[in-house]
Each structure stands twice: as structure tokens, then as C-alpha cells.
Amino acid sequence: MDEKKQIGVLGGGSWATALVKILCNNQNKVYWYMRDKEAVAHLRKFGHNLKYLQSVQFNKEQIVVSTDVQAVVDACDILVIAIPSAFLYEAFDAEPPKGIDKKVVFSAIKGIVPEYNSIPARFFHKTFHLSYENIGIIGGPCHAEEVALEKLSYLTMACSNTQNAQAMADAMRCRYIKTSISDDLFGTEISAILKNVYAVAAGICHGLGYGDNFQAVLVANAIREIEAFVDAVSPIHRDVKSSAYLGDLMVTAYSTYSRNRTFGNMIGKNLSVKAAQYEMNMVAEGYYACKSIQEMNKKFGVNMPIQKAVYHILYEKIAPAIEIRILCDTLT
């Protein structure tokens, strides 16, 4: 990427921290907005995030950390937004930063904006009057914890403007990150949202004591549901067996790092939703996404028994053991 292009990351969690670490491999300066004043002060003094991925040590001269989102927007040509979708509306509702419509924005958000039942790309388009050509998504499969350990990982940059996708891919490619590009913005983003719902399902089943054999059947059926839904929403040619779709689903459904699987596991062990959320102290995007997908699917009418089962458990308080037993009869 042209060195004149400045990149900023908005968000203070583990994925935002991992993305800043990746970008530091290729950028002279990385701008970083965090809302938490204590975390910013800690980063400036000690060079690591106070709450997330504390093992990642940053060069304090290389990162420009600020609690002023407008300052970061003004300084950057490209913005990577890694704020959890559940808090996205709140983050930009009161006083949206000016000038985002003139930037390229890449979403690193794997959830739906619940206030609008909207994917982040559409939220950015409507809120900031951004052209879809200047909106992209950073897709997996990739866990922040493995980035912190510099374990080989793969990322997909999806944008209808493939030049923007390639520029972002170049900025993030490094010794332990391989990148590829795609023009399937909507399919990649919706798949990234749905895989969290299916990871919750995988966790529920694990908590109930189902084994690896059943989990394999569950994931095989889940990728078919993903394919059917993204084809209904955005009917273009895509290969859902590629890493941005199937790979992202698998790592989220199987990995012990997956917060959605962890959340589902707690539900399967008969914790309430509130208790599981309290125990985790992190956002499980699949909880919010499940309800929003349920609402979205009223328009498309796609047969999604796994997604519906998760919805029944989380929002209609059907006992997990009963709901999954019913689900078993629909899987092939």
C-alpha cells in the first residue's frame, strides 16, 4: 500500500488489538481509537492493552492512541472498525464523526446491528453516506488469540472495489498472515454473521454432551444453511467451500477460543442467557445475530432449522435438550 495512506483502527477489544498488531508490520504509524481513557493511558505508558491480549507488546512510537475518534478519522485515509455490532449504533449515534464519507472503511465486525437488523456494511452506507465501493469487510478464519501468538492465519478482504480489497490485503500481509481478496462484500459479511449463530449451536450441543460425530453433521448442515441464505440475500456466484465461508464457520464452531461456542456451551449446561453473558464478560455476537436473522428471514423464507433452534433456545426459553432433540430429526 502507498505509504501516504494512513490507517486507523476504531475499537479497543481483542480483535482490534490483533488488527493493530498486524498493521504494525507494514505501517510506519497506526492510529488507534479507544473509548476507555484508562486503557489509552496504559497503552501510552506500557505499550500493551490493559484488558485484552496483554501479551502483545507495541512499539509506543509506532501507535498513535487516542480517545478522540474525530482526531483518528481526520488523520486517516482508511478506517478499520472493530467495535462490537451490539454497540455500533451507540458509538456513532450521539455525535457521528465528520468526514467518514470521504474515507475507505473496512469492517472487522462479525455481527448485525440490532437496532436496524442491518449488516454493518449497510449501517455504514446509511449512517455515513458511504459508497459501497468504499466499504469492505475483513473476514476469517482468524482468532485474535492466535494472531497474538503469531500463528499462521488467513484473512480475506472483501469489497466490490477489488482495488480497495487488494490495498487492504497488502497492508495486512506479513510473515504470519496470508491474505486473499473477494468482491463478495454482502455474502462474506452475512456468512461471518451467521457462523456465530452456528457456533452458539455447536457450543450448546457440546454442553449437552453431543460428540464429535454429531458436531460434524451439525457443521455440514450449517454451511448449507449459510449458502441458502446468502444466495437468497445476494444471488451471485460464490464458493462457500472456501476459507472465508466454510473455514470461518469451522474455526468458530470448533475452537476453544470461540466466544460464541463458549457462550453456547454455557447455555447447554443450563446457564441462563444473562448468567452466561455475565460469566463471559465479552460479547457473543451470535446472541444478537440470531434474533436479527430471524427477523430478516421473514422476507426471504429460507429453511434454517439450526438457526431457528438457537432462536427458540435463546429467545423463547425452550429447554436446550428438548430443542436439540427435535433438531436432530431434521439433519442429514
Side-chain angles (χ1 to χ4, degrees), residues 93-276:
D93 179 49
E95 192 174 347
K98 299 176 176 62
I100 291 186
D101 58 313
K102 299 176 177 64
K103 312 294 180 178
V104 174
V105 170
F106 272 83
S107 169
I109 304 162
K110 307 296 178 66
I112 279 183
V113 184
E115 289 83 357
Y116 296 112
N117 290 330
S118 171
I119 61 174
R122 182 167 176 78
F123 175 81
F124 297 139
H125 172 69
K126 291 289 188 181
T127 303
F128 302 120
H129 308 291
L130 267 168
S131 162
Y132 280 120
E133 287 205 343
N134 288 329
I135 301 172
I137 180 173
I138 300 173
C142 193
H143 280 304
E145 293 81 1
E146 292 199 353
V147 171
L149 296 170
E150 299 189 359
K151 291 191 174 184
L152 181 62
S153 303
Y154 289 67
L155 291 172
T156 299
M157 313 298 157
C159 183
S160 59
N161 182 335
T162 54
Q163 288 184 329
N164 285 337
Q166 188 62 60
M168 198 67 207
D170 292 343
M172 303 200 75
R173 187 182 300 112
C174 65
R175 175 176 55 80
Y176 54 90
I177 299 291
K178 293 186 181 294
T179 59
S180 59
I181 68 169
S182 168
D183 63 356
D184 184 18
L185 170 63
F186 297 113
T188 304
E189 186 158 55
I190 293 169
S191 178
I193 291 164
L194 277 170
K195 55 93 177 178
N196 288 328
V197 177
Y198 298 116
V200 173
I204 291 171
C205 293
H206 184 266
L208 289 169
Y210 287 84
D212 292 345
N213 293 342
F214 178 77
Q215 293 281 10
V217 173
L218 184 76
V219 170
N221 280 263
I223 194 61
R224 291 203 293 266
E225 287 191 21
I226 288 174
E227 182 174 30
F229 191 77
V230 297
D231 283 353
V233 175
S234 178
I236 66 171
H237 174 73
R238 59 176 61 87
D239 180 8
V240 297
K241 298 185 294 297
S242 63
S243 61
Y245 309 93
L246 179 58
D248 204 12
L249 168 65
M250 290 176 67
V251 75
T252 311
Y254 288 129
S255 176
T256 55
Y257 290 126
S258 169
R259 64 187 65 178
N260 288 284
R261 178 187 166 91
T262 300
F263 174 73
N265 185 57
M266 292 179 181
I267 300 297
K269 292 182 181 297
N270 285 325
L271 267 73
S272 68
V273 168
K274 285 187 177 180

Side-chain angles (χ1 to χ4, degrees), residues 60-81:
K60 291 183 285 184
E61 303 302 316
Q62 192 177 12
I63 57 171
V64 182
V65 194
S66 176
T67 58
D68 184 348
V69 65
Q70 188 65 61
V72 173
V73 170
D74 290 344
C76 296
D77 306 290
I78 299 168
L79 299 169
V80 178
I81 301 182

Side-chain angles (χ1 to χ4, degrees), residues 271-322:
L271 267 73
S272 68
V273 168
K274 285 187 177 180
Q277 289 172 327
Y278 179 80
E279 285 289 327
M280 285 187 62
N281 196 30
M282 290 192 296
V283 176
E285 297 276 20
Y287 170 71
Y288 302 97
C290 185
K291 184 177 182 181
S292 295
I293 292 293
Q294 183 77 8
E295 291 299 313
M296 287 175 65
N297 200 31
K298 289 178 181 178
K299 174 181 177 181
F300 299 103
V302 177
N303 184 33
M304 303 173 73
I306 303 173
Q307 179 274 328
K308 189 176 290 186
V310 176
Y311 176 80
H312 288 163
I313 292 168
L314 298 183
Y315 289 94
E316 297 185 350
K317 299 183 180 179
I318 305 297
I322 294 172

Side-chain angles (χ1 to χ4, degrees), residues 82-95:
I83 298 167
S85 63
F87 308 126
L88 200 58
Y89 176 81
E90 177 187 343
F92 294 116
D93 179 49
E95 192 174 347

